[in-house]
Amino acid sequence: MAGQKGSAVNNIVGGFVAGLYSVPEGIGYASLAGINPMLGIYAGMVPVAVTATGTGSVLMMSTLTSAIALTTAGILAEGGYQGAEVLQAVVTMSLLAGVIMFVLGLLKLGKIVNFVSNAVMTGFVAGVAVLITVGKFSDIFGYDPGGHSNKVVKAADILFHPGNWNLTTAAVGLGTVAVAFALKASGPLARYALVLVVALGTAAVWIFGIDTPTIADQATIATGLAALPIPDSLNVLPDLAMVPGLLLGSFSIAIVALAQGAGIRPAFPNPDGSRAESSRDFLAQGIGNLAGAFFQSTPTGGSLSRTAVSAESGADRRWAGYVAAGTVVVLVVAFGGAIGHIPEAVIGGLLFVVGVDLVTGRLPDSRLAWQAGVAPRLLLAVTMVLTLTAPLQWAIIGGAVLSLLAYVGASSSAARLERIVHDDEGWMISDDVPTSLPADEPILLRYTGPNFFAVVTSISDQLPEPDPGHPGVLVVDLGALRHFSSTMLKQVDHYLQRLSASGSALVLTGVRDEGRRALSRTGLVDRIGERNILPPDPHIDVAFDAALQRGRDRLRELRQEGET
């Protein structure tokens, strides 16, 4: 009972701290997205609770993240949404992202995030971190030069014109940064640094009557129960008419959210030792977004920072997510009126600190990608440049394309066709593939590599050419393949025709049940011969010896057929 009580207290504390953390971070990320800060706070309510119910990763907190916020900002800017359209566009993106995540999870495509290379993801996150760091310099220094669509260029313009700074606002913003770093270095208070710095900054501005812009100057902040995201009007529901214009952007959001969420599984394994399923995480995040779309939430995804805060505070059960969501609800109802008094310079300073933490936290991965070789280095650099210069939704698509190209290149180099022979002592060794098929003895070739159409086509060109005057037998081990693609089947068919035309034959070994069924459906089993398609054997040497023996028997049969 004592252990259960301790666990309950730990989860209450963990959820409570995560809920506290959600308010300032939600406000900051909503500011990055250029939307009402309440939408960022709402992302810490319904989506967090609903997602926590079904995730495979027990500790996952799914809410608004920095990358989602910046992507949302780019989509809204590109679509030209204004006024009331912004809210409907945001909740429509939540709905679309939720549908995409849900479908990917339903199709068991959780491993799709594995195709986003570490170098690409590192470059993307590093670029996002830089954008967060400089994204709110105008709020920190009280000067907006305007005319810049690129955040880095705009930040540089601000820094190079200190004469245009609002000194009062700059004092608040830079003071926020200094206090935040001091709190983070303090040890015991580091976990609560962001919450404390917002509270202290807001209190200082109010007590001393400092004249600086606040959140209420830019957005309407409801108070009490009215601040809760209750869907009391069709104006706050998703608009299906916006779907065509938001579909591609929502897909980008879904991909980056799922890729970020995938980092939670290895970083915070399930406390009970159970294995977290990525497809289940997809489903849960999808349902969380679908629910959040009807409660004025931005698109959400697994948040490493919010999950870390909860886990490091003692949470080890999924219901810590319910506590976190409930904490945000209570804070909004009880203290919602104070949100409007938060200075924009404080939020800008908070985001600067968050961005610096992200930059420094990603340095080991960046160093690893840079040291790994030319290709990872190029992927890292190109993705980061795209992230810093292009609209984020296009940078995400570009990163995905780069990852795909990297995968294709790696697959091509990994594919190998080699001959297996016995050396003088009887050991099996690999050798070069001959250009022509010998007639005196069957030869055994082993294929290793992916079942990828471009690779299969190039590998088929390496097969030995049969000699019409001297029939032979080729034995091919396909044990590395669990199934056959249509391209593989086509290449087998073409090569079999060349063999048959010259009076030669083919023997396949290592063919699994799924592959045999595919060969049967296409009629290749009948043409190759049932006896000439051998199953896999866990003892590789036994399988190879049996395949070569079947090749010798088949060669004898060909000679007998030739004599008759």
Side-chain angles (χ1 to χ4, degrees), residues 50-262:
V50 172
T51 303
T53 302
T55 53
S57 301
V58 171
L59 300 178
M60 178 183 286
M61 296 279 179
S62 182
T63 184
L64 178 60
T65 68
S66 54
I68 293 175
L70 287 168
T71 308
T72 299
I75 296 168
L76 293 174
E78 189 171 280
Y81 298 102
Q82 300 289 334
E85 289 181 330
V86 172
L87 175 56
Q88 283 197 293
V90 169
V91 296
T92 302
M93 281 189 278
S94 296
L95 181 73
L96 290 173
V99 169
I100 293 167
M101 293 176 177
F102 183 81
V103 170
L104 290 175
L106 202 62
L107 296 176
K108 302 292 184 181
L109 294 177
K111 292 183 178 179
I112 191 173
V113 294
N114 295 336
F115 290 90
V116 179
S117 76
N118 176 68
V120 166
M121 196 63 196
T122 298
F124 175 74
V125 174
V128 166
V130 172
L131 292 177
I132 295 171
T133 304
V134 304
K136 285 297 176 179
F137 271 19
S138 58
D139 288 345
I140 294 175
F141 297 102
Y143 165 55
D144 189 345
H148 300 295
S149 59
N150 185 276
K151 293 181 182 296
V152 177
V153 175
K154 181 178 179 180
D157 191 341
I158 293 172
L159 290 177
F160 288 140
H161 294 86
N164 294 329
W165 297 354
N166 182 305
L167 296 182
T168 302
T169 297
V172 174
L174 294 175
T176 298
V177 173
V179 172
F181 280 125
L183 289 171
K184 290 176 74 67
S186 67
L189 296 177
R191 186 181 302 164
Y192 310 99
L194 296 186
V195 177
L196 288 174
V197 76
V198 171
L200 292 172
T202 303
V205 168
W206 180 71
I207 291 172
F208 295 106
I210 299 173
D211 184 18
T212 187
T214 63
I215 289 176
D217 294 328
Q218 302 296 328
T220 301
I221 307 297
T223 59
L225 292 176
L228 295 179
I230 300 173
D232 57 352
S233 169
L234 292 178
N235 292 330
V236 297
L237 296 179
D239 185 358
L240 297 183
M242 292 183 172
V243 169
L246 295 172
L247 186 57
L248 182 60
S250 300
F251 178 78
S252 300
I253 288 175
I255 294 301
V256 72
L258 294 174
Q260 286 187 308

Side-chain angles (χ1 to χ4, degrees), residues 350-437:
L350 177 147
L351 288 172
F352 180 86
V353 174
V354 170
V356 170
D357 284 345
L358 283 174
V359 170
T360 55
R362 211 65 184 184
L363 285 178
D365 284 341
S366 299
R367 191 180 301 113
L368 179 65
W370 194 259
Q371 294 171 345
V374 176
R377 191 178 303 166
L378 185 62
L379 289 173
L380 170 71
V382 171
T383 306
M384 186 169 181
V385 170
L386 278 175
T387 305
L388 293 175
T389 59
L392 212 58
Q393 64 272 28
W394 293 111
I396 295 166
I397 297 296
V401 171
L402 286 174
S403 293
L404 179 60
L405 292 175
Y407 171 72
V408 172
S411 298
S412 301
S413 61
R416 186 179 180 187
L417 189 67
E418 58 185 353
R419 183 180 181 181
I420 304 298
V421 298
H422 288 91
D423 63 9
D424 295 338
E425 297 181 0
W427 294 98
M428 286 189 171
I429 61 174
S430 62
D431 198 2
D432 295 333
V433 178
T435 56
S436 59
L437 184 65

